[in-house]
Amino acid sequence: DSEVIPTPIVIIDQDSDPNSTIVEITFGDRLGALLDTMNDLKNLGLNVVKANVYLDSSGKHNRFAITKASTGRKVDDPELLEAIRLTVINNLLEYHPESSARLALGVAFGALPPRENVDIDRTRIQVHDDGPDQSLLYVETADRPGLLVDLVKIVTDINIAIKSGEFDTEGLLAKAKFHVNYKGKPVSRQLQQVLENSLRYFLKKPTTEEASF
């Protein structure tokens, strides 16, 4: 079967809307209305306040605006953001089993494990000033479950605050863009180096499954 499987893309966007978390899901033009996904998000204690679909040359994009049911505000807890991401991906794997060949989580949960893994040496980390009171941190690395939570923990453990950002799952890759600051100021060159070293050290470590013999 030489059918080309599109790259599944899941975007969690904290930048576009001040009041809600935007989740965008694309898998070529194969996705339906995603009613089960919406239902599963409600079961996480979330409200889908708006859902729409738009088409462009890269496919059909399903966009949801999500708030926490308890507060009516956007989701700010990294554990819950990761739960949203994994819920969306698990539904993709369930209803579109062919997507598992293009998802890192297909290794653990999918019908078809990916044919290739992302080389960990392809990890890219960049930090640069982004205006007078913040910096932009960009991380691109091999995806794995729990990655969003781990990245947030590494950054905040060295007292760098994350104001907002976006976390994209593009097939086997994860791409994070975080607006960060240190005590209301851009991250200094010295602290940028500490941040970069911490992230590189963590991202090069094998996960528990890979490390066990």
Side-chain angles (χ1 to χ4, degrees):
D1 185 4
S2 61
E3 181 193 25
V4 176
I5 298 170
T7 300
I9 298 173
V10 179
I11 294 171
I12 294 183
D13 172 7
Q14 295 283 65
D15 280 341
S16 299
D17 187 323
N19 304 311
S20 60
T21 298
I22 304 295
V23 177
E24 185 175 307
I25 310 157
T26 310
F27 185 45
D29 56 4
R30 301 183 181 200
L31 297 180
L34 302 185
L35 297 176
D36 289 296
T37 300
M38 280 202 269
N39 210 34
D40 288 345
L41 292 172
K42 285 175 186 162
N43 291 337
L44 290 174
L46 302 165
N47 285 334
V48 178
V49 289
K50 199 163 56 181
N52 61 6
V53 174
Y54 70 93
L55 293 160
D56 65 14
S57 58
S58 66
K60 179 179 170 187
H61 305 260
N62 293 59
R63 276 180 79 122
F64 302 130
I66 292 170
T67 58
K68 278 182 79 169
S70 57
T71 61
R73 300 165 78 96
K74 67 162 63 180
V75 181
D76 51 10
D77 170 18
E79 303 259 353
L80 189 49
L81 290 168
E82 181 67 351
I84 292 169
R85 187 174 85 95
L86 296 183
T87 297
V88 168
I89 289 172
N90 281 329
N91 272 307
L92 259 175
L93 292 170
E94 184 176 346
Y95 294 101
H96 295 274
E98 73 278 15
S99 70
S100 72
R102 302 294 304 271
L103 283 163
L105 275 70
V107 175
F109 309 114
L112 294 164
R115 289 196 189 94
E116 62 204 85
N117 287 325
V118 176
D119 182 358
I120 208 73
D121 291 332
R122 277 189 53 193
T123 293
R124 289 173 56 207
I125 301 166
Q126 294 168 344
V127 192
H128 58 78
D129 290 355
D130 183 31
D133 49 13
Q134 65 180 12
S135 302
L136 183 69
L137 165 65
Y138 177 78
V139 181
E140 182 177 307
T141 192
D143 187 27
R144 61 198 200 211
L147 183 62
L148 194 161
V149 177
D150 291 335
L151 289 179
V152 169
K153 185 175 184 328
I154 291 162
V155 174
T156 53
D157 273 357
I158 48 179
N159 297 319
I160 294 174
I162 298 176
K163 296 303 288 176
S164 64
E166 185 178 307
F167 190 94
D168 301 353
T169 311
E170 289 187 20
L172 302 175
L173 276 177
K175 299 179 180 181
K177 284 176 280 201
F178 293 144
H179 298 286
V180 296
N181 69 68
Y182 180 70
K183 297 184 175 172
K185 295 273 188 288
V187 179
S188 68
R189 289 275 175 269
Q190 197 176 359
L191 196 52
Q192 283 181 19
Q193 200 57 57
V194 173
L195 175 58
E196 204 169 310
N197 291 345
S198 300
L199 286 165
R200 276 197 195 285
Y201 174 75
F202 168 76
L203 293 169
K204 275 195 184 296
K205 281 198 307 190
T207 56
T208 332
E209 294 83 56
E210 289 164 347
S212 57
F213 298 102

